[in-house]
Amino acid sequence: NAGVTQTPKFQVLKTGQSMTLQCAQDMNHEYMSWYRQDPGMGLRLIHYSVGAGITDQGEVPNGYNVSRSTTEDFPLRLLSAAPSQTSVYFCASSYPTGTGYDTEAFFGQGTRLTVV
Amino acid sequence: AQSVTQPDIHITVSEGASLELRCNYSYGATPYLFWYVQSPGQGLQLLLKYFSGDTLVQGIKGFEAEFKRSQSSFNLRKPSVHWSDAAEYFCAVGARRDDKIIFGKGTRLHILP
């Protein structure tokens, strides 16, 4: 059971370049999300999805796009990278239980992105 | 919208001493509450969670947390810390269907030998 897998683990981009951070989970979780972690800021929610075809914005969505075409995958796209997007990015997934949507988040190992 | 406040950015305790990390939340419905730990350069590990029922929740590594609805708090405690507990701790609130999990800014725990 691989859990939540993020690729790549490290990436350096030049300002203005675009790229996609990949996230895949094999636990059949409905809920997937992306966070960025910056020193002193904790984890801030970028985008999230409660199922295939459904996405919504989190706290800091500007400069990022997401789509959810399958249950397993939730890629995060940086349209035109900026130095302010230098951060560690975490993907997380969650599941509903029989008593409702009481969930905990399972995290990937993170992607460290540097924009120069 | 929900929010989480962790008032202490850094806490330093001596090894063997007791620990309490504070967490206050704001949420319009019955909260689901979590504590996660992150060791340097690592991902996040769930310590414990509160969904309903008993307000004192036991977690891994000897941690416990108490949900106090009247104070909107979910403080993390450990009776005796070990050097290996040095890490960053995050409190989070959420999620229910069509909702999201929001994290606090974290508390970094330092352990004195």
Side-chain angles (χ1 to χ4, degrees), chain A residues 30-50:
Chain A
E30 291 184 5
Y31 182 101
M32 296 186 74
S33 53
W34 278 101
Y35 295 86
R36 60 177 289 174
Q37 184 178 24
D38 304 290
M41 300 299 292
L43 285 89
R44 292 181 291 171
L45 183 65
I46 304 172
H47 286 286
Y48 65 104
S49 168
V50 297

Side-chain angles (χ1 to χ4, degrees), chain A residues 31 35 37 101 103-105, chain B residues 34 36 38 49 95 99 101:
Chain A
Y31 182 101
Y35 295 86
Q37 184 178 24
Y101 208 60
T103 70
E104 66 197 66
Chain B
F34 312 88
Y36 286 84
Q38 185 182 36
K49 58 189 177 185
D99 212 331
I101 302 173

Side-chain angles (χ1 to χ4, degrees), chain A residues 30-31 35 37 40-43 45 48 50 59 90 94-96 101-105 107 109, chain B residues 32 34 36 38 42-44 46 49 51 88 90 95-105:
Chain A
E30 291 184 5
Y31 182 101
Y35 295 86
Q37 184 178 24
M41 300 299 292
L43 285 89
L45 183 65
Y48 65 104
V50 297
E59 302 167 282
F90 286 98
S94 307
Y95 60 94
Y101 208 60
D102 46 351
T103 70
E104 66 197 66
F107 283 85
Q109 286 302 301
Chain B
Y32 298 148
F34 312 88
Y36 286 84
Q38 185 182 36
Q42 301 297 310
L44 288 96
L46 180 71
K49 58 189 177 185
F51 290 155
E88 190 155 22
F90 294 94
R96 42 177 85 233
R97 189 171 290 277
D98 300 327
D99 212 331
K100 44 193 180 288
I101 302 173
I102 299 298
F103 283 77
K105 293 186 176 181

